[in-house]
Amino acid sequence: MIGTDLHHASNLLQQGKLVAIPTETVYGLAANAFDAVAVAQIFAVKNRPIFDPLIVHVADFEQIISLVVEMPPFAQHLSEVFMPGPITLLLPKSDRIPDLVTAGSSLVALRMPKHPMAQELLRLLHFPLAAPSANPFGYISPTTAQHVAAQLGDKIPYILDGGLCEVGLESTIVGFEAGQAVIYRKGGIAVEAIEAHIGPVQVKPHSTSNPQAPGMLKSHYAPRIPLVLGRLDELLPQYRHWRVGIIHFQKTFPDVPIECQVALSPTGNFQEAARNLFTGMRYLDSLALDVILAEPLPEQDLGRAINDRLRRAAATDQ
Ligand code: TXA
Ligand code: MG
């Protein structure tokens, strides 16, 4: 069921049930992070391997302090600048977080969402929420309640409807190695925005499927039909006998039916492009097409995170 009843959502979560929740990035599939039995259902419903750990969502800074054993100076700085917002910090966890949540790691991924409904729900609860994106493992993340309902609606008791996600890309994941910040997943906060506050940071390239590097599985965010990444003026002639859908930043292509085109931002705005990416991929995936051709955006600002998602959607090593 889809609805906007925060008390119903909070009651279900207190009973150890799952609720899909809106955040400013993508919808999450939430459970009480302190309840390993509730958390186990997340893995089952998503069909997610248990070596892939979950992000823990918190209401405020006090909760963060209560869940970690150490706060490196850069983490403190980044949390003050970007929280609440689309950033996740990897920090040494306290014993209160069950090992299932972190897949046995001594680090916990913590995020303070900015979506007003998520914030209100977290304030109603006396525990943090473990929540991965509310999609079947390997598929595109949901950015509306309807996306969640289409894929998981019959498996969960409630979907809290908070409208279209404003950011539209998952959070940027930042960890700390030898005191230095490292970006493990590009996301809703641009690398440049982080560097503006703490100087140059290392960005880890995503690896192929490797249980030793959680959060970095390569083939991810994939539509059902194949997605090919490249320059559209080169790809379109090669696929002229195929039913193609295209994803591009701004301009339109006269040779492709307009309903098969997704222009992420006709005005060239990276925020708008990010917000439209997953919705656009889902839309094309719902048409009777043979292939989606996608052109990378300029490698700057949120274009870098968008290109990362397009590359993963194009990867075939799942
Ligand atoms: O914006 C977001 O981050 C959304 C919303 C719902 O908050 N969540 C999200 O969760 O994207 P998920 O599970 O789809 O992606 C989280 C990534 C996973 O790839 C996981 O491997 C990584 O974060 N991760 C979580 N906990 C970790 C940990 N303790 N150590 C390393 N990686 C971790
Ligand atoms: Mg996900």
Side-chain angles (χ1 to χ4, degrees):
M1 196 174 63
I2 298 185
T4 56
D5 186 343
L6 283 161
H7 290 277
H8 183 53
S10 117
N11 286 338
L12 288 167
L13 289 163
Q14 283 173 46
Q15 291 161 27
K17 306 236 166 78
L18 304 187
V19 175
I21 61 164
T23 83
E24 73 280 18
T25 59
V26 300
Y27 276 71
L29 181 60
N32 177 352
F34 292 152
D35 180 346
V37 177
V39 168
Q41 295 174 59
I42 294 179
F43 290 91
V45 165
K46 268 190 68 111
N47 201 10
R48 180 183 178 107
I50 55 162
F51 61 72
D52 197 6
L54 308 178
I55 293 178
V56 174
H57 298 70
V58 299
D60 51 36
F61 292 101
E62 273 168 43
Q63 212 168 23
I64 292 184
I65 297 304
S66 75
L67 298 176
V68 304
V69 292
E70 195 199 325
M71 192 80 174
F74 276 153
Q76 181 68 34
H77 189 157
L78 291 175
S79 70
E80 283 164 14
V81 177
F82 295 110
M83 286 186 171
I87 193 165
T88 294
L89 300 180
L90 282 176
L91 296 167
K93 84 176 187 78
S94 88
D95 293 342
R96 300 177 73 199
I97 304 278
D99 287 336
L100 182 61
V101 170
T102 64
S105 167
S106 61
L107 300 176
V108 60
L110 291 174
R111 164 158 142 69
M112 195 190 298
K114 197 175 188 173
H115 193 293
M117 257 179 155
Q119 290 191 335
E120 223 177 305
L121 178 65
L122 284 161
R123 277 195 294 267
L124 286 174
L125 298 167
H126 302 290
F127 46 80
L129 291 173
S133 50
N135 52 290
F137 184 71
Y139 193 66
I140 306 163
S141 295
T143 48
T144 66
Q146 289 70 30
H147 291 167
V148 182
Q151 291 186 303
L152 302 179
D154 56 348
K155 298 192 174 126
I156 52 178
Y158 200 55
I159 301 166
L160 202 53
D161 188 353
L164 177 69
C165 299
E166 197 182 329
V167 176
L169 281 180
E170 299 86 348
S171 59
T172 303
I173 302 184
V174 185
F176 304 90
E177 294 179 13
Q180 299 300 306
V182 178
I183 294 180
Y184 292 99
R185 179 177 73 181
K186 288 173 244 174
I189 298 210
V191 176
E192 293 93 323
I194 290 173
E195 291 186 325
H197 287 277
I198 59 169
V201 294
Q202 193 192 343
V203 181
K204 288 262 158 121
H206 63 241
S207 67
T208 50
S209 300
N210 174 6
Q212 298 312 309
M216 301 177 78
L217 300 181
K218 192 170 171 196
S219 182
H220 226 114
Y221 315 99
R224 284 184 211 89
I225 53 179
L227 185 145
V228 177
L229 195 58
R231 286 192 41 184
L232 286 176
D233 55 359
E234 290 169 5
L235 288 176
L236 282 168
Q238 293 171 34
Y239 286 88
R240 67 180 172 278
H241 299 304
W242 297 49
R243 288 172 299 179
V244 301
I246 61 174
I247 298 180
H248 50 97
F249 193 22
Q250 289 184 265
K251 55 180 193 270
T252 48
F253 289 77
D255 296 340
V256 179
I258 198 74
E259 67 275 14
C260 299
Q261 301 196 30
V262 170
L264 294 175
S265 172
T267 60
N269 177 301
F270 287 107
Q271 268 78 27
E272 183 182 38
R275 190 155 55 234
N276 288 331
L277 178 68
F278 291 153
T279 314
M281 281 167 65
R282 274 179 192 262
Y283 165 69
L284 292 178
D285 207 20
S286 74
L287 304 180
L289 300 172
D290 301 315
V291 67
I292 298 170
L293 307 177
E295 182 158 289
L297 275 64
E299 195 61 24
Q300 67 188 73
D301 199 326
L302 293 185
R304 295 173 70 174
I306 294 169
N307 291 342
D308 169 79
R309 301 304 185 272
L310 288 172
R311 270 182 223 113
R312 293 191 201 213
T316 51
D317 67 336
Q318 193 162 4

